[in-house]
Amino acid sequence: PVFKRKGSYQSFRYPQGFKVDESQSKVFLPKIGWIRYYQSRKMVGIAKNMTVSKRGKNWYVSIQTEYQQTALSHPSRTAVGIDVGIKRFATLSNGGVILPLNSLRKREKQLAHRQRALSRKTKFSMNWKKEKQKIAVLHEKIANCRLDYLHKVSTHISQNHAMIFVEDLKVKNMSQSARGDAENPGRMVKAKSGLNKSILDQGWSMFVNMLTYKQSWRFGDVMKVNPRHTSQTCPLCQHVSKLNRQTQERFECVSCQYTENADLVGALNILARGHRVLACGEMALAAQ
């Protein structure tokens, strides 16, 4: 048994005994009865179980179904490399650019205002509980905006490309605090804290997970490649140097004077590296 704090893990599951009436948008929950719900999508297949969960002030029902699908091929025949970043959420090797949503940054002041108001109230009082509920609703809105944006972007890319190459980024390591300890204090802690917040606000790992399962639905594939030197390698002459990227946005090869946007160069290198891995296997990764 694991201790579950009140207010967390507010969900329960029905493995059997439930009913679904799609024509009237109703579900029957044992010991509760018929309840109306907002139908976000049509149910495909046979319902096997149902999970009811609470997020913020709303309750959600998730129905797991089973159905057979014949083996098909992806409608597209193209491959694309994707470089993710802060200023540009995603840069595609074909020149496409997807700007970030920054759902947390847009509501940062509003969230800070609510949290300050909560700190002034007596803990566990009615006003404290009301303010805490408002903060939960705001957090839910931020998360829903991010989810909606990532779903739309990942669906668009998955529908138009059969093979997708992305960097194998360790987001948990990239977003670690630079605070350090008493013996070895960190440097530029505030700047690193802001960078960590921006990285987590983008949802890179969630984006790659969405691409992976949506590609499996469409019989496509997603491959992670080694991110080492993707932004410092010239896609024309393959010269690798830190001097190739002296600014955040500009790439200029010191060997052949090739110039391009740094994010686009990264996407081109990711695409080329993915093709090498497909052709030569793990030897291509070791050579990098």
Side-chain angles (χ1 to χ4, degrees):
V2 179
F3 173 74
K4 298 180 178 64
R5 186 179 64 181
K6 182 180 179 181
S8 303
Y9 307 101
Q10 297 193 73
S11 65
F12 50 92
R13 189 178 187 188
Y14 289 106
Q16 58 190 6
F18 62 89
K19 299 176 185 178
V20 182
D21 187 354
E22 286 191 281
S23 61
Q24 298 186 14
S25 297
K26 289 183 178 181
V27 290
F28 177 80
L29 306 179
K31 298 185 179 180
I32 296 178
W34 286 98
I35 298 177
R36 295 187 64 87
Y37 72 98
Y38 172 75
Q39 192 177 88
S40 60
R41 57 185 296 186
K42 291 290 184 180
M43 189 178 70
V44 180
I46 302 172
K48 289 295 183 180
N49 58 66
M50 178 184 295
T51 302
V52 181
S53 59
K54 184 180 182 182
R55 294 200 305 272
K57 64 178 182 179
N58 298 317
W59 289 89
Y60 297 86
V61 59
S62 175
I63 305 171
Q64 186 178 31
T65 64
E66 181 182 31
Y67 63 95
Q68 291 184 351
Q69 188 174 10
T70 57
L72 301 172
S73 60
H74 197 282
S76 177
R77 293 292 182 270
T78 61
V80 68
I82 302 177
D83 180 80
V84 294
I86 301 297
K87 192 170 183 181
R88 291 181 173 189
F89 171 71
T91 304
L92 279 60
S93 57
N94 58 10
V97 176
I98 301 172
L99 298 178
L101 178 65
N102 296 326
S103 59
L104 176 61
R105 290 290 187 183
K106 290 180 179 178
R107 295 168 178 83
E108 205 170 24
K109 292 183 179 179
Q110 187 179 358
L111 183 61
H113 172 74
R114 291 292 183 191
Q115 289 172 336
R116 282 195 300 269
L118 180 68
S119 67
R120 299 189 191 102
K121 290 175 172 52
T122 304
K123 200 170 185 180
F124 302 120
S125 65
M126 287 304 298
N127 286 334
W128 181 87
K129 292 178 181 179
K130 290 177 183 177
E131 196 64 41
K132 190 177 180 182
Q133 181 66 37
K134 292 178 182 178
I135 293 174
V137 171
L138 185 56
H139 274 296
E140 184 185 11
K141 185 174 183 179
I142 292 170
N144 287 341
C145 290
R146 185 186 296 112
L147 272 175
D148 177 71
Y149 187 73
L150 292 178
H151 272 300
K152 288 176 180 177
V153 171
S154 58
T155 299
H156 175 74
I157 295 175
S158 176
Q159 288 175 342
N160 292 281
H161 302 286
M163 191 71 198
I164 301 173
F165 300 105
V166 295
E167 292 177 296
D168 188 11
L169 298 174
K170 308 299 181 184
V171 179
K172 184 177 180 180
N173 297 340
M174 294 172 64
S175 58
Q176 283 183 345
S177 173
R179 189 182 304 110
D181 51 31
E183 296 180 358
N184 300 307
R187 296 175 57 205
M188 301 179 66
V189 178
K190 188 175 181 180
K192 185 64 170 68
S193 176
L195 177 62
N196 292 347
K197 185 182 290 187
S198 298
I199 289 174
L200 297 175
D201 193 17
Q202 303 303 317
W204 292 342
S205 298
M206 196 184 302
F207 173 63
V208 174
N209 290 338
M210 288 180 180
L211 285 176
T212 302
Y213 73 73
K214 289 178 182 180
Q215 282 293 86
S216 66
W217 289 349
R218 298 181 173 86
F219 304 97
D221 201 4
V222 174
M223 177 177 287
K224 296 180 180 180
V225 300
N226 190 349
R228 187 181 180 189
H229 299 320
T230 52
S231 61
Q232 300 175 3
T233 304
C234 178
L236 200 61
C237 67
Q238 301 302 312
H239 177 71
V240 182
S241 175
K242 291 183 179 180
L243 300 176
N244 288 345
R245 187 177 182 179
Q246 298 187 14
T247 64
Q248 186 67 24
E249 296 184 6
R250 192 70 174 170
F251 180 94
E252 185 173 356
C253 181
V254 295
S255 178
C256 67
Q257 282 72 52
Y258 172 80
T259 59
E260 189 53 83
N261 181 274
D263 294 329
L264 179 57
V265 168
L268 292 171
N269 287 327
I270 292 168
L271 177 64
R273 189 167 295 180
H275 283 308
R276 288 196 295 270
V277 172
L278 287 176
C280 307
E282 295 298 326
M283 293 178 61
L285 283 176
Q288 296 296 332

